[in-house]
Amino acid sequence: METPQSYLYKILSAAIKKNAILVHFSVGNRPQVKIGASYQPIDDAILEKEMAEKILNDILSDEEREQLGKDREIVAVKELEKNLRFRINIYFERNFPAFSFYHISGSNRELADCDFPESVTAFTSISSGLLVIAGSLGSGKTSTAFSFIEEINKNQAKHIVTIEETIDRVLAARGSIVEQRQVGRDAVSFRDAIKYCLKEDVDLVYINGIKDELDVCLISIMELASGNSRVILELNADSSVEIIARLVNILSKSLSAESSRYILADDLFGVIVQKLIYGRSGEPNMAAEILLANSVVKSYIREGKFQQIESVIQTSRREGMISMEKAVDELVRKGKIRKEDL
């Protein structure tokens, strides 16, 4: 009889070869992979309840199974056979365990490989400021964030702290001091972990998975970015203008609208919004909208004229800005994708 380990390795290794974003398992159905925006079956066999329970018992510790029984869902990062590393969402549907496996690449992408203009990579050289990296699930935003972190880690002797919902990628200290803190294990909350950074001499703070705590943490995040820290904040969002409006709205719950706009304008370095588009042969291609907080953008933020920022992105290509529409058009022009791939 097939073991849980051999069953998972067969399915997951096949999914990786297809450049799948995730693999979904649910009882009574065939395993499904997500490639681009579409799901498709990857194996003919129906997942039986017994195999699902064996997988559950095999990949979770006693403590994690207890937490799953209490909360009815859990997120865990596991390294399976042959160094395959995954972030796994486990939950229940129809009272059966279900799983979503997200593959974590074994190596961090170099910043030079991201093909960003120098005006964007200049974030690694400044002493303070906020860089927001956004996109939907599976858009590669964490890989981009880690390319900035690794660039600083390798080439500067700095104090780096990551605050994460789950530690997907392990950072080895190179020239810097690196502390990776998982909320719920190494820190009680995002709020406590961020307060720790305010009390310490921290040069770079990376925040991922903050979600519901953003409302209570954003003022402290902006305080970090206005002091002696660079902050990389990872969010789920589709456009730079949406992010700016959202951040100002959150700050306005505690401060005046004018103060909120001025704080963000003063401390924002830029925004990168990513989207993965799969070409005809299944290879992923990244399109990235880039907004840099130049003097015009800062002025529009202070005045609350957020929609006019879109025109700045359109007309500031020489400074390194680009809209998502233009980024996608470039992929089409280079023959990496077709319009029908969108």
Side-chain angles (χ1 to χ4, degrees), residues 5 19 85 90 96 113 117 134-135 167 172 215 243 259 282 311 338:
Q5 295 94 333
N19 292 314
R85 189 174 173 85
I90 307 173
F96 297 131
D113 295 335
I167 296 177
D215 284 21
I243 288 166
S259 295
S311 64
R338 302 164 298 175

Side-chain angles (χ1 to χ4, degrees), residues 71-254:
D71 298 338
R72 307 302 285 174
E73 60 184 8
I74 189 173
V75 178
V77 175
K78 298 290 179 177
E79 189 167 295
L80 306 178
E81 286 189 52
K82 300 186 180 181
N83 298 320
L84 296 182
R85 189 174 173 85
F86 294 87
R87 177 165 53 86
I88 311 168
N89 291 1
I90 307 173
Y91 53 96
F92 287 91
E93 60 98 18
R94 295 177 294 128
N95 206 33
F96 297 131
F99 313 83
S100 292
F101 284 74
Y102 300 83
H103 180 235
I104 302 168
S105 174
S107 58
N108 291 318
R109 184 172 54 188
E110 296 288 333
L111 185 57
D113 295 335
C114 294
D115 200 28
F116 291 133
E118 289 184 12
S119 53
V120 177
T121 60
F123 179 78
T124 62
S125 303
I126 63 174
S127 59
S128 62
L130 172 66
L131 172 64
V132 180
I133 300 178
S136 60
L137 184 66
S139 62
K141 53 186 181 293
T142 300
S143 294
T144 297
F146 269 71
S147 69
F148 280 94
I149 297 168
E150 282 284 47
E151 184 75 12
I152 294 168
N153 182 24
K154 288 189 302 182
N155 299 308
Q156 303 174 31
K158 299 297 182 181
H159 184 185
I160 299 169
V161 176
T162 74
I163 305 171
E164 306 174 66
E165 181 182 34
T166 58
I167 296 177
D168 293 357
R169 301 163 184 264
V170 178
L171 284 166
R174 303 198 182 188
S176 299
I177 298 170
V178 177
E179 299 176 3
Q180 289 186 268
R181 308 193 71 196
Q182 182 169 313
V183 173
R185 185 190 67 186
D186 305 313
V188 173
S189 64
F190 280 95
R191 187 176 188 177
D192 287 349
I194 293 167
K195 283 184 176 180
Y196 158 81
C197 293
L198 286 167
K199 296 175 184 176
E200 297 291 326
D201 184 19
V202 180
D203 300 293
L204 174 65
V205 181
Y206 165 64
I207 303 168
N208 176 18
I210 191 167
K211 298 175 185 172
D212 296 339
E213 284 195 60
L214 184 59
D215 284 21
V216 297
C217 294
L218 188 54
I219 288 178
S220 296
I221 291 170
M222 300 311 300
E223 188 176 348
L224 275 172
S226 67
N228 297 317
S229 296
R230 286 162 283 189
V231 179
I232 299 176
L233 176 62
E234 191 174 310
L235 296 174
N236 291 333
D238 295 327
S239 76
S240 303
V241 172
E242 173 193 337
I243 288 166
I244 289 171
R246 178 181 172 189
L247 296 181
V248 168
N249 181 60
I250 292 172
L251 290 170
S252 297
K253 294 176 182 178
S254 302

Side-chain angles (χ1 to χ4, degrees), residues 2-13:
E2 195 169 28
T3 65
Q5 295 94 333
S6 61
Y7 172 77
L8 282 177
Y9 180 74
K10 176 183 69 176
I11 303 296
L12 296 174
S13 58

Side-chain angles (χ1 to χ4, degrees), residues 269-298:
F269 171 84
V271 179
I272 300 171
V273 181
Q274 298 186 181
K275 182 178 182 180
L276 278 189
I277 305 170
Y278 287 76
R280 68 187 70 184
S281 59
E283 78 284 359
N285 297 278
M286 187 182 80
E289 176 174 287
I290 297 173
L291 166 69
L292 297 169
N294 63 11
S295 59
V296 179
V297 170
K298 288 179 180 293

